[in-house]
Amino acid sequence: MMDELAVLDRGRVVASGTPAQLRAAEGGELRLELSLPPEGEDPSELLGELPVRFARRARTGHRVLLTLAASDAARAVAWATALRTADRIEGYALSPITLEDAYLAATAEGGAAPSREEPAHA
């Protein structure tokens, strides 16, 4: 069992705490992961289409990770299901926030999500 973790970014500690504290610091309660088709457009970039407010968005290759409040889960799943039905995504998964999400949040410059050109922190 781990007592405490430290997240390093460019040799500097940017976050520390227990795994539960790091996950809670992300601010969202759930993670919606969208799997994009090759050369697929990221539907989370189209603000007019978003059914809920996502606390954070990070794209790594063909994966888009979105954090959201548990109270928005039903609307987010309905949106992802509609995207899948329309073949705009290959699939999706809804799960609790992970340490990967906490790491991405802590290491993103200025709190911004990585762009398509920026290498993913994973």
Side-chain angles (χ1 to χ4, degrees):
M1 177 186 267
M2 289 185 249
D3 291 331
E4 190 166 316
L5 299 172
V7 177
L8 300 174
D9 186 23
R10 298 180 181 113
R12 192 173 52 105
V13 175
V14 293
S16 65
T18 66
Q21 290 169 330
L22 291 172
R23 285 190 305 267
E26 172 58 15
E29 297 173 8
L30 297 174
R31 152 194 203 172
L32 178 65
E33 179 177 336
L34 305 178
S35 298
L36 304 177
E39 306 301 321
E41 183 177 278
D42 177 357
S44 71
E45 290 180 335
L46 307 172
L47 298 178
E49 290 190 29
L50 298 180
V52 298
R53 182 187 171 306
F54 294 104
R56 175 155 172 70
R57 180 191 157 278
R59 180 171 179 173
T60 58
H62 294 289
R63 285 187 330 156
V64 178
L65 307 174
L66 305 163
T67 59
L68 63 142
S71 59
D72 291 327
R75 283 181 290 178
V77 167
W79 174 66
T81 300
L83 292 171
R84 175 65 189 106
T85 301
D87 291 326
R88 294 183 59 201
I89 61 172
E90 291 183 343
Y92 66 91
L94 184 68
S95 62
I97 293 295
T98 67
L99 284 175
E100 177 186 13
D101 300 314
Y103 178 83
L104 288 169
T107 58
E109 290 187 42
S115 70
R116 289 181 186 180
E117 294 76 35
E118 180 179 353
H121 304 282

